Amino acid sequence: MQHDASLKRAHDAPPIEEEWLWGWDPTPGIVSVHAEQDGRAHVWRRIPETGALVHERERFRPWLLLDRLDDLAHLGEGLRDAATAPPDETIHFRELEGPGALRFLVSARDGRALTDALLTGASRRLDARVRHVAELGDSVLALPPEEQYLVATGRTYFRALAFDQLHRMQFDLETTGLDARRDRIFMISVRYPSGDTEVLEAHDESDASEAELITTLVQRVRDANPDVIENHNLHGFDLPFLDTRARFLRVPLALGRVRERKLRQRGARRGVATGDPSEGRRIRFVAPGRELIDTLDMVRRYDIGTRDFASYGLKAVARQLGIAAPDREYIRGDLIHETFRADPERVRRYATDDVEEVAAISRMLGGATYALAQMTPRRYERLADTGAATGVIDPLLVRAYLRAGAALPAHEPGDGTPHSGAALYLFASGVAHRVVKADVASLYPSLMRAYRIGPARDRLGALLALVDGLVERRLDAKARARAAPPGSAERHSHEAMSAALKIVVNSAYGYLAAGGELTRFADVHAANEVTRRGREVLALMCRELEARGVTLLEGDTDGVFFAVPEAWSESDERRVVNEVGALLPPLVQLELDGRYAAMLSHETKNYALLGYDGALTLRGVAFRSSRSEPYGDAFLRTALERLLTGDIVGVRDAYLATIGALRTRAIRTYDVSSRVRLTKSPAEYAESREKRRELPYEAMLASGHTTWSVGDRVRVYRSAKGEGRTIDTPDDDTTAPDPRDYDVEYYVRLLRDSYAERLARAFTPRDFDIVFAHPDQLALFVSPVEDVKPILTPLARNGFG
DNA sequence: TCGTTCCGGGG
DNA sequence: GTGTACGGAACGA
């Protein structure tokens, strides 16, 4: 089939806003597109009804957008108006309407002829050799071939295809270490689209065996012929490692659907640095015909909305999502190869668990990106690793303008107006009871819609039209998800669509504020108008809440925490939220987002909440830190629970009990250790050691580790002699030693200065000294702890009326 | 101590 | 066109 780039609409086309959202070509089941600059495209589709795979070879007219035709004038008769030219032979142009700078849509049968002609003309005009279209900067819009194809055709991936119909394969390398130049692959676990798993292994530690292992993997991929290849950190580890090993061993790495001996590369901000140290060029690998999907990207994207993965590591994520099997095998990274030598079966189980978890995470979190690919003219794998503003909204706008026959504005850097941000207030610190969180859902997009705040240069009003359409679709998707049976594929896909739409809607504001070098229609004035309205809404909300008798605690654009009087019931709380919500601008909805028995407000975005069900929620660096010692965390949790239930004697008891346990060494060594990341190599530390000794490295050396890799994490503690020591995590090895030779008084001091200190806002200084008086101290003038009451201190209201 | 830069992950 | 998250930790004066 021949697709041309005129983008002319038929008379019976659906409403143009629908086309802006979804494209217009209904071709179902596209699972991968690979296009070349010469106008050839490969399309792989799954027939939704049968699941059969078809491979279609197509031609399209590669196209560019230019701000002038001057550089093509030298073609003479070779450049023809698309309206009158014969369809195939020549280079066509079409002038788009409206004021945008990029107003000439030019296309050719072979894109190379087009770019060559353009570069020739530009070189003459500029009297300098122009080698690449990118050198012409913003006077040209040149998309990657696949995106040219999708924009021109109005096609998108995955129409009428459910996520579960995709053929997804996972593989995971087990290697002797992290450095592909030095270490090798000894095992690859594989999970097939059928759900079957297999473990491939090198027979010995020779190059030939590793080469054979890679060859077997390639063969398995070709046989299984998946649409998608997935793993956790696939682009950051497995593919670069595989690529390096395959080059070194001179093994073909034909993982794609077109016969090529190597993976291709594309520039990618979030990719890996290339071998040559030439200034920060980063790439990701491409296997034409398959989509290479990294579940780490999914986790990052998901976390933007939910914020709360303790770690983005595979095991932690799987546990947090509740998909880790109870008998899941765990092996510490640096022990995998040595475990394999002693107990290969254990490593086989471990590696298989990895691919199983990746498949489950992908199914749980991958829907949003999948749904984005159903609307956006980009490859699925590119949508997986981009931000929504430049990665989704910009391509949607480009397609919308071309479809409407409208010229596109070029990027504009902005007039120097600074971008003003959101407001954040801390109204009080200390302990409050009967706390309510009121939340404004999607404040910024709601303000954009309510006040019609869009980019000044968006003459079609496409951004606001997209946001309106996306919000409506989202409400619809949410309703459909609710109506579908829990756990069903149908519910899954509606929820995924809803999540995708939320991502795009919420990034509409980010699109405005991103700055003109980044997004085509960026508009700092419009962005400032949105934040100004947002501050107005927050101020109004706070004033009106206060006028109804609540005590304000903390407020920002996400929502407001406040405490209500003792006599109030839940329905009083709801009534007040509804009353205040009714005073807010149209489309801005205030919801009661949470109710808590008590809160310790420490600093902005740093607080502890005790739910009515007894659940403790900690937020902010003061209360949760990956470096903190387990004994301190345990004390803090207990103390906070008791503090928030009013049991001040209990707080002191917890403090004394912890000191007692330290002194009798009832606390495990592991529980006083802290996790640190080694950022200096052994050589670097050797150099700086004379000047300054650092506990973690001293600990490594003292425990006989003379080598380590930068980035390794170890647990260290301070011994009674004041020296650093390392200790293993007990889960790793149940026979791990537990010497309990830690520096007791050091950890007693740390308990007070670091952990008890985080409760300081709850008390007057005098009462704090009573609650946390040292056990050896004589209680001369000390009044009884029983009399101590927690306090709430109002703070100066900087900038708040 | 503060301000700035870097990192997240993989064996 | 590689595209500007975000929050915590480490680094550097």
Side-chain angles (χ1 to χ4, degrees), chain A residues 273 392 400 476 554 602 674 776 780:
Chain A
V392 179
D476 183 55
E554 177 173 330
H602 183 72
S674 100
D776 308 336
L780 280 181

Side-chain angles (χ1 to χ4, degrees), chain A residues 137-323:
Chain A
D138 223 22
S139 56
V140 184
L141 169 69
L143 298 179
E146 289 83 4
E147 293 173 27
Q148 292 179 34
Y149 173 82
L150 292 170
V151 167
T153 57
R155 293 182 162 186
T156 67
Y157 275 52
F158 307 145
R159 278 199 215 287
L161 195 75
F163 183 82
D164 288 335
Q165 290 181 284
L166 261 187
H167 285 217
R168 300 183 292 123
M169 173 171 167
Q170 298 76 25
F171 70 74
D172 183 52
L173 308 185
E174 302 305 329
T175 67
T176 58
L178 292 171
D179 183 351
R181 288 164 306 180
R182 201 182 57 206
D183 301 306
R184 62 171 67 247
I185 307 165
F186 66 90
M187 179 187 283
I188 304 175
S189 62
V190 181
R191 183 183 177 279
Y192 296 104
S194 64
D196 293 342
T197 59
E198 185 184 11
V199 177
L200 313 174
E201 282 171 43
H203 304 303
D204 53 45
E205 300 189 3
S206 67
D207 284 357
S209 290
E210 191 188 14
E212 196 189 323
L213 175 59
I214 294 172
T215 305
T216 308
L217 173 71
V218 169
Q219 197 51 51
R220 293 291 194 277
V221 169
R222 298 191 66 82
D223 292 346
N225 196 15
D227 308 320
V228 173
I229 292 175
E230 299 174 330
N231 196 18
H232 203 69
N233 205 15
L234 177 73
H235 285 285
F237 179 71
D238 299 82
L239 291 174
F241 203 103
L242 207 44
D243 179 73
T244 302
R245 297 310 297 165
R247 279 170 199 269
F248 174 75
L249 298 163
R250 301 180 191 284
V251 185
L253 195 56
L255 290 177
R257 276 172 168 151
V258 297
R259 269 260 175 231
E260 290 178 328
R261 292 175 56 86
K262 281 180 183 162
L263 295 173
R264 294 192 184 199
Q265 303 182 351
R266 62 176 227 256
R269 179 72 162 197
R270 308 217 42 267
V272 289
T274 48
D276 59 82
S278 62
E279 243 4 86
R281 186 174 133 74
R282 290 175 163 274
I283 58 110
R284 282 191 171 203
F285 289 100
V286 177
R290 297 191 217 284
E291 308 290 316
L292 304 177
I293 297 291
D294 194 330
T295 46
L296 180 58
D297 292 325
M298 293 179 187
V299 169
R300 289 194 176 108
R301 173 166 280 165
Y302 179 80
D303 199 47
I304 290 172
T306 55
R307 61 171 191 275
D308 234 49
F309 277 116
S311 151
Y312 288 176
L314 173 65
K315 284 81 178 166
V317 169
R319 276 196 297 258
Q320 204 157 334
L321 294 175
I323 53 189

Side-chain angles (χ1 to χ4, degrees), chain A residues 302 363-372 374 473-503:
Chain A
Y302 179 80
R363 186 170 189 281
M364 238 173 128
L365 305 185
T369 301
Y370 186 85
L372 286 179
Q374 292 177 321
R473 287 289 182 151
R474 174 151 190 256
L475 295 177
D476 183 55
K478 275 174 93 164
R480 284 165 189 264
R482 267 197 301 273
S488 65
E490 196 190 343
R491 185 174 189 132
H492 181 250
S493 71
H494 290 308
E495 280 172 351
M497 179 58 77
S498 167
L501 296 173
K502 183 179 179 180
I503 290 166

